[in-house]
Amino acid sequence: MVNAIWKSISEGKIEPVYLLMGVERHLIDETIKRLIQALPDGEEDAVVRFDLDETPIEAVIEEADTLPFLVERKLVIANNTSFLKAADKTKEKVVHNITLLEEWLSNPSPTATVVFLAPYEKLDGRKKITKLMMQKSTVVEALPLVGRDLTTWIQNEASSFGIKISPEIAQVLIDMTGDSLLALSSELEKIAMYMDGKGEVTKEIVEMLVPRLPEMDVFRLTDAYMNGNIKETIKIYHDLLGNGEEPIMLTSLIAGQIRLMIHVASLAKKGYHQQQIAKTLNVHPYRVKLVMENRSIPKMERLLVILEKLADIDYKLKSTSGKRERVLEIFFMEPLKG
């Protein structure tokens, strides 16, 4: 897990080669930040960056094997390691000497740490270079975190700011902020500043300091509607209006949530599990998890009826000049069947 690798870096146990792979950019950026901080005096002058879409791998190897000047160790960062992916049909700009890289990986430089960045969803595991890179480097999988992994990450991140947070309160933070690690880290830093870097986070502190994302409130709104809780639905709706949200945008977001429910239900019926569904629909696994755990979702036929009604509402909102807020409110007050 990435936390174990970060711990080793903080203890000064720096490996010669790292492979940072995956689409969760915050984990990649944070790992690089920690590697830079691990340099003597955290010297930025000891960091050399390459873009492998523009520069051949030979230049990276040459730089790594060149003795550092006035520093004990250098950090070489090679971005866009696209040759680890499946071959692209479009012609590559740069031809890389992969044989040279294979030889170098067996005997990397003792005075440099080389970080290969592969910010892609999937690598080609059939390639010899990909297999060798996975074997010879310390691999950081920068994948979206869900469930217990996400909660653990929040607790560790809070600890780095000097504060504590329970799994239950971490979930409250997720419910309000979403699952973006960058956004969660930013909110935790703000909370830590308010708490003067000590103590345990409470629900009251989170609710006071952390603004809800419209998308998360739309999930609460849709969930309340599906549960037949008209009073709660109208309350959330009016809160959103009070925060400046427009009925047209809310209608679009609710329709998107209904479509997600339909797709998740369809794929789950075919035997797809959570991760497969998330990948197929290109959405974060956390959103799929929330839908799959929701027992109040109506049958498919009813969802399609709701979606059709939302399309009518969208048309009315775009063609009327009256009180648009009332159009969506009437929809929420209709009893949900099925």
Side-chain angles (χ1 to χ4, degrees), residues 232-252:
E232 180 67 11
T233 302
I234 299 301
K235 178 182 180 301
I236 297 171
Y237 176 54
H238 285 169
D239 286 345
L240 286 165
L241 293 176
N243 289 334
E245 305 299 340
E246 291 291 331
I248 292 177
M249 186 209 68
L250 292 175
T251 300
S252 176

PDB file of all heavy atoms in Angstrom, residues 232-252:
ATOM      1  N   GLU A 232     -38.057  15.711   3.741  1.00  0.00           N
ATOM      2  CA  GLU A 232     -36.598  15.830   3.660  1.00  0.00           C
ATOM      3  C   GLU A 232     -36.172  16.238   2.248  1.00  0.00           C
ATOM      4  O   GLU A 232     -35.254  17.039   2.071  1.00  0.00           O
ATOM      5  CB  GLU A 232     -35.940  14.494   4.045  1.00  0.00           C
ATOM      6  CG  GLU A 232     -34.416  14.491   3.989  1.00  0.00           C
ATOM      7  CD  GLU A 232     -33.766  15.382   5.038  1.00  0.00           C
ATOM      8  OE1 GLU A 232     -34.476  15.850   5.957  1.00  0.00           O
ATOM      9  OE2 GLU A 232     -32.561  15.613   4.920  1.00  0.00           O
ATOM     10  N   THR A 233     -36.855  15.690   1.250  1.00  0.00           N
ATOM     11  CA  THR A 233     -36.537  16.025  -0.142  1.00  0.00           C
ATOM     12  C   THR A 233     -36.715  17.520  -0.396  1.00  0.00           C
ATOM     13  O   THR A 233     -35.841  18.180  -0.968  1.00  0.00           O
ATOM     14  CB  THR A 233     -37.449  15.236  -1.107  1.00  0.00           C
ATOM     15  OG1 THR A 233     -37.299  13.839  -0.874  1.00  0.00           O
ATOM     16  CG2 THR A 233     -37.081  15.542  -2.550  1.00  0.00           C
ATOM     17  N   ILE A 234     -37.864  18.065   0.033  1.00  0.00           N
ATOM     18  CA  ILE A 234     -38.146  19.490  -0.177  1.00  0.00           C
ATOM     19  C   ILE A 234     -37.155  20.356   0.602  1.00  0.00           C
ATOM     20  O   ILE A 234     -36.699  21.393   0.109  1.00  0.00           O
ATOM     21  CB  ILE A 234     -39.590  19.831   0.238  1.00  0.00           C
ATOM     22  CG1 ILE A 234     -40.598  19.041  -0.617  1.00  0.00           C
ATOM     23  CG2 ILE A 234     -39.853  21.326   0.112  1.00  0.00           C
ATOM     24  CD1 ILE A 234     -40.498  19.298  -2.106  1.00  0.00           C
ATOM     25  N   LYS A 235     -36.790  19.908   1.800  1.00  0.00           N
ATOM     26  CA  LYS A 235     -35.828  20.669   2.612  1.00  0.00           C
ATOM     27  C   LYS A 235     -34.478  20.768   1.900  1.00  0.00           C
ATOM     28  O   LYS A 235     -33.882  21.855   1.802  1.00  0.00           O
ATOM     29  CB  LYS A 235     -35.650  20.003   3.974  1.00  0.00           C
ATOM     30  CG  LYS A 235     -34.634  20.709   4.875  1.00  0.00           C
ATOM     31  CD  LYS A 235     -34.458  19.976   6.185  1.00  0.00           C
ATOM     32  CE  LYS A 235     -33.444  20.679   7.083  1.00  0.00           C
ATOM     33  NZ  LYS A 235     -32.109  20.787   6.446  1.00  0.00           N
ATOM     34  N   ILE A 236     -33.982  19.627   1.413  1.00  0.00           N
ATOM     35  CA  ILE A 236     -32.687  19.622   0.722  1.00  0.00           C
ATOM     36  C   ILE A 236     -32.769  20.476  -0.539  1.00  0.00           C
ATOM     37  O   ILE A 236     -31.850  21.234  -0.866  1.00  0.00           O
ATOM     38  CB  ILE A 236     -32.252  18.178   0.376  1.00  0.00           C
ATOM     39  CG1 ILE A 236     -32.057  17.359   1.659  1.00  0.00           C
ATOM     40  CG2 ILE A 236     -30.956  18.187  -0.443  1.00  0.00           C
ATOM     41  CD1 ILE A 236     -31.835  15.876   1.402  1.00  0.00           C
ATOM     42  N   TYR A 237     -33.893  20.360  -1.238  1.00  0.00           N
ATOM     43  CA  TYR A 237     -34.091  21.121  -2.479  1.00  0.00           C
ATOM     44  C   TYR A 237     -34.039  22.623  -2.205  1.00  0.00           C
ATOM     45  O   TYR A 237     -33.352  23.384  -2.904  1.00  0.00           O
ATOM     46  CB  TYR A 237     -35.427  20.723  -3.112  1.00  0.00           C
ATOM     47  CG  TYR A 237     -35.799  21.500  -4.356  1.00  0.00           C
ATOM     48  CD1 TYR A 237     -34.921  21.569  -5.435  1.00  0.00           C
ATOM     49  CD2 TYR A 237     -37.036  22.153  -4.449  1.00  0.00           C
ATOM     50  CE1 TYR A 237     -35.267  22.280  -6.577  1.00  0.00           C
ATOM     51  CE2 TYR A 237     -37.383  22.854  -5.589  1.00  0.00           C
ATOM     52  CZ  TYR A 237     -36.495  22.919  -6.653  1.00  0.00           C
ATOM     53  OH  TYR A 237     -36.837  23.618  -7.784  1.00  0.00           O
ATOM     54  N   HIS A 238     -34.737  23.068  -1.153  1.00  0.00           N
ATOM     55  CA  HIS A 238     -34.742  24.495  -0.820  1.00  0.00           C
ATOM     56  C   HIS A 238     -33.360  24.954  -0.354  1.00  0.00           C
ATOM     57  O   HIS A 238     -32.950  26.095  -0.630  1.00  0.00           O
ATOM     58  CB  HIS A 238     -35.789  24.774   0.261  1.00  0.00           C
ATOM     59  CG  HIS A 238     -37.191  24.757  -0.272  1.00  0.00           C
ATOM     60  ND1 HIS A 238     -38.306  24.756   0.542  1.00  0.00           N
ATOM     61  CD2 HIS A 238     -37.682  24.732  -1.541  1.00  0.00           C
ATOM     62  CE1 HIS A 238     -39.409  24.743  -0.187  1.00  0.00           C
ATOM     63  NE2 HIS A 238     -39.044  24.720  -1.460  1.00  0.00           N
ATOM     64  N   ASP A 239     -32.640  24.085   0.351  1.00  0.00           N
ATOM     65  CA  ASP A 239     -31.267  24.428   0.762  1.00  0.00           C
ATOM     66  C   ASP A 239     -30.381  24.654  -0.462  1.00  0.00           C
ATOM     67  O   ASP A 239     -29.571  25.594  -0.497  1.00  0.00           O
ATOM     68  CB  ASP A 239     -30.668  23.305   1.618  1.00  0.00           C
ATOM     69  CG  ASP A 239     -31.258  23.261   3.022  1.00  0.00           C
ATOM     70  OD1 ASP A 239     -31.899  24.260   3.422  1.00  0.00           O
ATOM     71  OD2 ASP A 239     -31.094  22.229   3.709  1.00  0.00           O
ATOM     72  N   LEU A 240     -30.537  23.790  -1.463  1.00  0.00           N
ATOM     73  CA  LEU A 240     -29.753  23.928  -2.690  1.00  0.00           C
ATOM     74  C   LEU A 240     -30.112  25.208  -3.437  1.00  0.00           C
ATOM     75  O   LEU A 240     -29.234  25.913  -3.945  1.00  0.00           O
ATOM     76  CB  LEU A 240     -29.975  22.705  -3.587  1.00  0.00           C
ATOM     77  CG  LEU A 240     -29.285  21.413  -3.132  1.00  0.00           C
ATOM     78  CD1 LEU A 240     -29.854  20.203  -3.876  1.00  0.00           C
ATOM     79  CD2 LEU A 240     -27.782  21.509  -3.354  1.00  0.00           C
ATOM     80  N   LEU A 241     -31.407  25.506  -3.492  1.00  0.00           N
ATOM     81  CA  LEU A 241     -31.830  26.758  -4.119  1.00  0.00           C
ATOM     82  C   LEU A 241     -31.259  27.959  -3.374  1.00  0.00           C
ATOM     83  O   LEU A 241     -30.823  28.941  -3.984  1.00  0.00           O
ATOM     84  CB  LEU A 241     -33.357  26.844  -4.167  1.00  0.00           C
ATOM     85  CG  LEU A 241     -34.090  25.842  -5.070  1.00  0.00           C
ATOM     86  CD1 LEU A 241     -35.596  26.005  -4.911  1.00  0.00           C
ATOM     87  CD2 LEU A 241     -33.682  26.026  -6.537  1.00  0.00           C
ATOM     88  N   GLY A 242     -31.258  27.850  -2.047  1.00  0.00           N
ATOM     89  CA  GLY A 242     -30.719  28.930  -1.225  1.00  0.00           C
ATOM     90  C   GLY A 242     -29.233  29.134  -1.427  1.00  0.00           C
ATOM     91  O   GLY A 242     -28.716  30.243  -1.225  1.00  0.00           O
ATOM     92  N   ASN A 243     -28.544  28.070  -1.845  1.00  0.00           N
ATOM     93  CA  ASN A 243     -27.103  28.160  -2.107  1.00  0.00           C
ATOM     94  C   ASN A 243     -26.805  28.604  -3.535  1.00  0.00           C
ATOM     95  O   ASN A 243     -25.642  28.599  -3.965  1.00  0.00           O
ATOM     96  CB  ASN A 243     -26.438  26.799  -1.850  1.00  0.00           C
ATOM     97  CG  ASN A 243     -26.391  26.453  -0.375  1.00  0.00           C
ATOM     98  OD1 ASN A 243     -26.396  27.342   0.473  1.00  0.00           O
ATOM     99  ND2 ASN A 243     -26.356  25.169  -0.063  1.00  0.00           N
ATOM    100  N   GLY A 244     -27.866  28.961  -4.265  1.00  0.00           N
ATOM    101  CA  GLY A 244     -27.667  29.496  -5.602  1.00  0.00           C
ATOM    102  C   GLY A 244     -27.730  28.485  -6.733  1.00  0.00           C
ATOM    103  O   GLY A 244     -27.438  28.827  -7.886  1.00  0.00           O
ATOM    104  N   GLU A 245     -28.101  27.229  -6.425  1.00  0.00           N
ATOM    105  CA  GLU A 245     -28.197  26.213  -7.477  1.00  0.00           C
ATOM    106  C   GLU A 245     -29.447  26.450  -8.317  1.00  0.00           C
ATOM    107  O   GLU A 245     -30.487  26.852  -7.807  1.00  0.00           O
ATOM    108  CB  GLU A 245     -28.232  24.808  -6.873  1.00  0.00           C
ATOM    109  CG  GLU A 245     -27.049  24.488  -5.947  1.00  0.00           C
ATOM    110  CD  GLU A 245     -25.709  24.557  -6.649  1.00  0.00           C
ATOM    111  OE1 GLU A 245     -25.684  24.480  -7.896  1.00  0.00           O
ATOM    112  OE2 GLU A 245     -24.678  24.676  -5.963  1.00  0.00           O
ATOM    113  N   GLU A 246     -29.343  26.201  -9.597  1.00  0.00           N
ATOM    114  CA  GLU A 246     -30.445  26.417 -10.532  1.00  0.00           C
ATOM    115  C   GLU A 246     -31.241  25.131 -10.760  1.00  0.00           C
ATOM    116  O   GLU A 246     -30.649  24.051 -10.848  1.00  0.00           O
ATOM    117  CB  GLU A 246     -29.904  26.918 -11.873  1.00  0.00           C
ATOM    118  CG  GLU A 246     -29.331  28.325 -11.829  1.00  0.00           C
ATOM    119  CD  GLU A 246     -30.407  29.372 -11.604  1.00  0.00           C
ATOM    120  OE1 GLU A 246     -31.568  29.127 -12.008  1.00  0.00           O
ATOM    121  OE2 GLU A 246     -30.091  30.431 -11.032  1.00  0.00           O
ATOM    122  N   PRO A 247     -32.585  25.228 -10.862  1.00  0.00           N
ATOM    123  CA  PRO A 247     -33.412  24.038 -11.107  1.00  0.00           C
ATOM    124  C   PRO A 247     -32.994  23.240 -12.345  1.00  0.00           C
ATOM    125  O   PRO A 247     -33.048  22.016 -12.357  1.00  0.00           O
ATOM    126  CB  PRO A 247     -34.821  24.625 -11.255  1.00  0.00           C
ATOM    127  CG  PRO A 247     -34.788  25.876 -10.460  1.00  0.00           C
ATOM    128  CD  PRO A 247     -33.414  26.432 -10.645  1.00  0.00           C
ATOM    129  N   ILE A 248     -32.568  23.928 -13.408  1.00  0.00           N
ATOM    130  CA  ILE A 248     -32.160  23.225 -14.630  1.00  0.00           C
ATOM    131  C   ILE A 248     -30.951  22.343 -14.365  1.00  0.00           C
ATOM    132  O   ILE A 248     -30.903  21.178 -14.781  1.00  0.00           O
ATOM    133  CB  ILE A 248     -31.863  24.233 -15.762  1.00  0.00           C
ATOM    134  CG1 ILE A 248     -33.152  24.920 -16.215  1.00  0.00           C
ATOM    135  CG2 ILE A 248     -31.200  23.528 -16.949  1.00  0.00           C
ATOM    136  CD1 ILE A 248     -32.945  25.991 -17.278  1.00  0.00           C
ATOM    137  N   MET A 249     -29.951  22.900 -13.661  1.00  0.00           N
ATOM    138  CA  MET A 249     -28.761  22.113 -13.354  1.00  0.00           C
ATOM    139  C   MET A 249     -29.097  20.946 -12.429  1.00  0.00           C
ATOM    140  O   MET A 249     -28.605  19.827 -12.608  1.00  0.00           O
ATOM    141  CB  MET A 249     -27.690  22.990 -12.708  1.00  0.00           C
ATOM    142  CG  MET A 249     -26.365  22.260 -12.504  1.00  0.00           C
ATOM    143  SD  MET A 249     -25.396  22.839 -11.110  1.00  0.00           S
ATOM    144  CE  MET A 249     -26.372  22.344  -9.709  1.00  0.00           C
ATOM    145  N   LEU A 250     -29.941  21.191 -11.432  1.00  0.00           N
ATOM    146  CA  LEU A 250     -30.329  20.140 -10.500  1.00  0.00           C
ATOM    147  C   LEU A 250     -31.073  19.015 -11.221  1.00  0.00           C
ATOM    148  O   LEU A 250     -30.850  17.838 -10.940  1.00  0.00           O
ATOM    149  CB  LEU A 250     -31.200  20.721  -9.377  1.00  0.00           C
ATOM    150  CG  LEU A 250     -30.503  21.673  -8.403  1.00  0.00           C
ATOM    151  CD1 LEU A 250     -31.504  22.261  -7.421  1.00  0.00           C
ATOM    152  CD2 LEU A 250     -29.393  20.949  -7.645  1.00  0.00           C
ATOM    153  N   THR A 251     -31.934  19.387 -12.156  1.00  0.00           N
ATOM    154  CA  THR A 251     -32.663  18.381 -12.935  1.00  0.00           C
ATOM    155  C   THR A 251     -31.687  17.504 -13.707  1.00  0.00           C
ATOM    156  O   THR A 251     -31.829  16.274 -13.759  1.00  0.00           O
ATOM    157  CB  THR A 251     -33.643  19.059 -13.917  1.00  0.00           C
ATOM    158  OG1 THR A 251     -34.570  19.849 -13.175  1.00  0.00           O
ATOM    159  CG2 THR A 251     -34.399  18.026 -14.730  1.00  0.00           C
ATOM    160  N   SER A 252     -30.673  18.123 -14.291  1.00  0.00           N
ATOM    161  CA  SER A 252     -29.659  17.380 -15.043  1.00  0.00           C
ATOM    162  C   SER A 252     -28.869  16.433 -14.147  1.00  0.00           C
ATOM    163  O   SER A 252     -28.619  15.274 -14.503  1.00  0.00           O
ATOM    164  CB  SER A 252     -28.714  18.366 -15.742  1.00  0.00           C
ATOM    165  OG  SER A 252     -27.678  17.680 -16.399  1.00  0.00           O
TER     166      SER A 252
END
